[in-house]
Amino acid sequence: MDKYFIIDFDSTLTRVEAMDLLATISLQGLPQKEAAEKRIKELTDLGMNGEISFRDSLKERLLLLEAHEAHLSPLIDLLKKQVSKSFERNKDFFNKYAESVYVISSGFKEYITPIVTELGIKESHIFANDLLFDDQGKVNGFNEENPLSRDGGKAEIIRKLDLDGDIYVIGDGHNDYEIKAAGLANKFYAFTENVSREKVMEKADHIAPSLEEILFENKINSAFSYPKNRIKVLLLENVHHKGVELLEKEGFTVEEYPAGLDEDELAEKIKGVSILGIRSKTQVTAKVLENANRLMAIGAFCIGTNQIDLETAQEKGIAVFNAPFSNTRSVVELAIGQIIMLTRNIFDKSVLMHQGKWDKSATGSKEIRGKKLGIIGYGNIGAQLSVVAESIGLDVCYYDLEEKLALGNANKMGSLRELLETSDIISLHVDGRPENKNIIGEKEFELMKEGVIFINLSRGHVVDIQALKTNVESGKIKGCAVDVFPEEPKSNKDPFESELKGLPNTILTPHIGGSTEEAQENIGNFVPNRIMEYINTGTTTNSVNFPNLTLPRLQNAHRLIHIHKNVPGIIAKINQLFAKHEINIAGQYLKTNEKIGYVITDIEKAYSDDLIKELRAIDNTIKFRVLY
């Protein structure tokens, strides 16, 4: 290999500045700790940006440290946990190209060598400063004869190495750029996975958010078959920060937008986006998907997916993932709370109290024990509500179009009419399919008992709002709670309008059934992990519109992913091409549904560009991609 990679240590190979960590350790318990740590960070930034000489920065930082030889062991332990994620992912690169990789740092060998050698970098390829200690083991300076202790030191080391080949420098500081400025490197990569220094990036030949980006540029296989930063993620509607963090840590370029977007706005915004994350308000229509020229996956950070045109997404080879269980408990707890509040008429009494009126009366206030709760829709939420409700004394019945096993002592009703006529409390937990529009209307309200409690935590369009209003005003419905509405504001800044405002014993909430910190964090974990697994391995487990296929991790092979229309003969055509190109198949996985086929093939050897072109050209191919 005629390429050499010169890598910085602090904030490049590791996520942190080692001297900042050493300050935290060595100054522990000392009164000057906070001020010293702040000044050390300032000096680091000044030196890295080239605003003061590196030697001045180094000297002053060491004076502030109060460091001792005994502090090095805990420092090393901490640094081992702070190796940059993309470096950890690509240990194979360091082992394979050990002769071509050098670490040249202005930090100190005493803590750099134990970290770097664990990656597979040769000790003879590590160049760094040397600490000096007094008789008691206290750090009292550094070897000022070492070229790396002064400006231009890295360039001096490169000259002495006299490497015969192209030299690529990877770092985050001005002293890394100096190598290129001295005419000793072909390219300087400003490494921004951990820190972005504007003055350094301005001088860079290439900004690299991860090691994969650099390896991709140099046509070297990496842990991922593409640089992750080239995958653009668009997250709408204030997706939980945990989900944002996971996607950013994976190396994706993430753009957040606090509100939903209308169809035209999203149709324009979706261009160039690889992953779309939404919640319940955003409508992903056929028009939007027609403009989604790079879209691979959609994450619904909620339970429902009716806001997404799943059929069109499937036809375009776009996998959709949701979080079917993550906020179940939160919705159930809200339903239980609302049942108690409405049965006791607590909401209206609270409003009167805020108006200065004292209404201490038991009239119309009842216990829920022994009352009959009718659950419409016995999915994840309805079933869990059944269990919790029964545990606090409610008599539970349910109705569902599908055959569902009753939990506990719940009774399955033979018809919706039977449930409506016999229930004291009715709670809706159906999905948002078009057929469910206005499934509860004037006719259904007429069937209900006088004084019924009515709750809708499912979808806004499943209830005829005008009919609901009429029955609340007449007293037929003693109390109702509504969390979802046919028309909802796009953001918290937009006004809320509804015919239900101002009705007695009516609890209106802004679509927050699943909006607890726990639920949103669970969703923020679940959905990104499903998407990342799909992007990284091809696994489609929990996809709502793709054949579900769980795949093993890729081991010493290339993975070819072929999505196609489910027509006869595709798999034969694929395998004929492998035979034609003398490709040995290490593993093959196939699953279909009524519309599409999903074929994964792991191959053991290198392949030609012609093979890829021919696989893409197979009739009825929807999408094709390669994982290394």
Side-chain angles (χ1 to χ4, degrees):
M1 177 180 178
D2 295 322
K3 293 181 179 180
Y4 295 92
F5 294 91
I6 311 301
I7 303 173
D8 183 35
F9 182 78
D10 294 289
S11 295
T12 296
L13 195 142
T14 61
R15 287 172 268 167
V16 294
E17 292 287 326
M19 288 188 73
D20 291 349
L21 277 185
L22 184 55
T24 301
I25 295 167
S26 63
L27 295 168
Q28 190 64 41
L30 298 179
Q32 73 270 31
K33 181 178 184 293
E34 187 175 342
E37 285 181 331
K38 182 180 178 183
R39 180 57 181 161
I40 286 169
K41 189 176 187 315
E42 288 173 355
L43 290 164
T44 298
D45 290 337
L46 289 170
M48 289 298 100
N49 286 325
E51 295 176 56
I52 63 174
S53 77
F54 178 75
R55 177 163 287 189
D56 288 344
S57 167
L58 189 59
K59 275 186 175 180
E60 192 171 341
R61 282 183 286 167
L62 276 182
L63 286 173
L64 292 165
L65 274 177
E66 299 288 339
H68 190 278
E69 195 171 14
H71 296 138
L72 292 175
S73 181
L75 172 63
I76 291 165
D77 289 341
L78 287 174
L79 286 173
K80 285 180 179 179
K81 299 173 184 176
Q82 292 292 333
V83 173
S84 295
K85 293 294 185 183
S86 65
F87 280 76
E88 282 186 335
R89 289 193 295 261
N90 289 283
K91 285 185 179 180
D92 286 348
F93 162 72
F94 295 108
N95 287 313
K96 187 173 182 180
Y97 297 107
E99 295 296 331
S100 304
V101 177
Y102 290 79
V103 170
I104 301 180
S105 170
S106 300
F108 295 95
K109 282 182 183 176
E110 284 78 6
Y111 55 75
I112 290 176
T113 299
I115 310 302
V116 169
T117 51
E118 281 198 2
L119 279 176
I121 296 169
K122 298 170 72 171
E123 188 169 351
S124 60
H125 284 203
I126 301 168
F127 296 85
N129 277 304
D130 312 283
L131 286 170
L132 299 178
F133 304 88
D134 64 18
D135 293 341
Q136 283 74 47
K138 184 178 179 181
V139 174
N140 63 1
F142 54 87
N143 176 11
E144 298 193 19
E145 297 301 313
N146 189 322
L148 291 167
S149 68
R150 55 181 179 263
D151 290 329
K154 290 191 175 185
E156 192 172 333
I157 295 293
I158 296 292
R159 286 193 188 94
K160 289 179 179 177
L161 286 172
D162 193 24
L163 301 173
D164 184 19
D166 295 336
I167 295 175
Y168 300 98
V169 178
I170 305 166
D172 64 286
H174 182 266
N175 55 2
D176 301 302
Y177 164 71
E178 285 178 344
I179 300 172
K180 173 69 187 300
L184 298 169
N186 298 72
K187 186 176 284 190
F188 167 55
Y189 291 97
F191 190 77
T192 59
E193 183 175 325
N194 307 305
V195 63
S196 301
R197 306 183 196 277
E198 290 294 334
K199 293 185 177 180
V200 175
M201 291 192 291
E202 288 170 4
K203 298 170 181 175
D205 298 297
H206 193 108
I207 295 171
S210 67
L211 182 58
E212 282 93 9
E213 172 77 12
I214 297 163
L215 300 183
F216 183 83
E217 283 289 310
N218 287 278
K219 296 181 170 55
I220 298 172
N221 287 346
S222 66
F224 299 130
S225 58
Y226 44 82
K228 291 296 185 72
N229 66 289
R230 297 190 181 188
I231 291 188
K232 184 179 178 181
V233 181
L234 176 63
L235 300 178
L236 307 180
E237 305 180 62
N238 281 324
V239 166
H240 192 272
H241 66 85
K242 189 70 178 179
V244 179
E245 288 172 9
L246 285 169
L247 292 163
E248 286 180 336
K249 282 183 179 178
E250 191 69 10
F252 300 147
T253 297
V254 179
E255 180 182 357
E256 296 179 75
Y257 196 79
L261 296 173
D262 64 29
E263 185 179 54
D264 289 337
E265 290 171 328
L266 185 54
E268 183 61 31
K269 198 81 172 171
I270 200 72
K271 294 172 184 175
V273 170
S274 300
I275 298 168
L276 174 66
I278 62 168
R279 293 175 70 185
S280 55
K281 293 177 187 174
T282 303
Q283 299 295 311
V284 185
T285 63
K287 178 180 176 179
V288 169
L289 294 170
E290 285 298 328
N291 286 305
N293 57 329
R294 293 178 60 86
L295 197 62
M296 291 192 285
I298 299 171
F301 287 72
C302 52
I303 293 176
T305 56
N306 297 94
Q307 70 276 39
I308 303 167
D309 186 333
L310 295 177
E311 188 171 337
T312 301
Q314 185 184 72
E315 289 170 357
K316 292 187 169 297
I318 301 165
V320 178
F321 299 87
N322 68 336
F325 315 108
S326 298
N327 66 0
T328 300
R329 178 69 187 194
S330 296
V331 178
V332 167
E333 288 187 3
L334 181 59
I336 292 293
Q338 289 175 336
I339 288 169
I340 294 171
M341 294 278 284
L342 294 171
T343 307
R344 294 284 299 274
N345 202 24
I346 297 295
F347 182 70
D348 278 0
K349 290 185 185 297
S350 176
V351 171
L352 290 173
M353 290 287 285
H354 281 284
Q355 295 171 355
K357 298 175 183 177
W358 184 269
D359 180 18
K360 181 176 168 56
S361 168
T363 303
S365 178
K366 298 179 180 180
E367 291 183 352
I368 64 170
R369 179 175 52 176
K371 304 298 184 293
K372 189 168 188 176
L373 168 64
I375 299 172
I376 303 174
Y378 206 63
N380 297 320
I381 293 173
Q384 189 169 142
L385 174 60
S386 167
V387 172
V388 176
E390 185 181 321
S391 73
I392 57 175
L394 284 158
D395 179 15
V396 180
C397 64
Y398 70 92
Y399 174 75
D400 199 293
L401 291 174
E402 297 179 16
E403 191 61 40
K404 297 288 180 72
L405 178 67
L407 300 180
N409 294 312
N411 293 309
K412 183 180 188 298
M413 299 305 237
S415 67
L416 178 60
R417 182 188 186 101
E418 184 182 1
L419 182 143
L420 295 174
E421 289 177 338
T422 58
S423 297
D424 302 302
I425 304 158
I426 294 170
S427 192
L428 268 172
H429 299 285
V430 299
D431 63 35
R433 69 186 71 178
E435 305 92 274
N436 283 339
K437 183 175 182 180
N438 290 343
I439 59 167
I440 303 296
E442 186 56 52
K443 183 177 73 172
E444 287 72 30
F445 285 123
E446 285 179 10
L447 293 172
M448 295 179 192
K449 295 169 69 173
E450 286 291 327
V452 69
I453 298 295
F454 180 77
I455 293 171
N456 182 18
L457 296 173
S458 58
R459 296 290 185 275
H461 69 272
V462 303
V463 177
D464 182 332
I465 296 298
Q466 183 57 52
L468 174 59
K469 178 185 178 183
T470 299
N471 282 274
V472 172
E473 289 176 329
S474 71
K476 177 72 178 281
I477 295 175
K478 175 190 172 183
C480 77
V482 180
D483 185 52
V484 287
F485 304 87
E487 299 292 333
E488 297 182 358
K490 285 185 187 178
S491 73
N492 292 341
K493 295 178 181 178
D494 296 323
F496 166 68
E497 298 296 338
S498 174
E499 297 170 83
L500 302 178
K501 290 196 300 185
L503 293 179
N505 204 26
T506 297
I507 300 174
L508 304 181
T509 49
H511 205 147
I512 55 170
S515 295
T516 61
E517 291 181 5
E518 293 88 348
Q520 292 307 305
E521 184 171 353
N522 288 339
I523 293 170
N525 268 306
F526 186 86
V527 176
N529 277 307
R530 299 291 77 72
I531 290 173
M532 291 187 296
E533 197 169 24
Y534 172 62
I535 298 295
N536 292 336
T537 72
T539 289
T540 53
T541 304
N542 295 117
S543 171
V544 297
N545 70 330
F546 262 42
N548 275 209
L549 199 56
T550 301
L551 299 163
R553 282 277 166 185
L554 196 56
Q555 298 288 338
N556 301 317
H558 306 305
R559 177 163 288 171
L560 311 183
I561 298 176
H562 195 279
I563 305 167
H564 55 269
K565 294 178 183 177
N566 187 11
V567 297
I570 298 286
I571 190 71
K573 291 177 182 178
I574 290 171
N575 287 338
Q576 282 168 9
L577 288 176
F578 290 137
K580 172 185 170 182
H581 289 270
E582 299 182 343
I583 299 290
N584 187 41
I585 296 175
Q588 194 166 57
Y589 315 88
L590 166 67
K591 203 160 189 183
T592 63
N593 60 25
E594 63 276 9
K595 290 287 185 69
I596 66 169
Y598 190 60
V599 179
I600 312 296
T601 309
D602 292 348
I603 60 175
E604 294 179 342
K605 62 172 284 184
Y607 54 84
S608 69
D609 291 341
D610 288 342
L611 171 66
I612 301 303
K613 289 176 184 176
E614 290 172 37
L615 286 167
R616 291 185 191 278
I618 291 174
D619 287 343
N620 297 301
T621 296
I622 297 172
K623 262 191 172 70
F624 177 84
R625 65 188 178 105
V626 182
L627 299 178
Y628 298 100

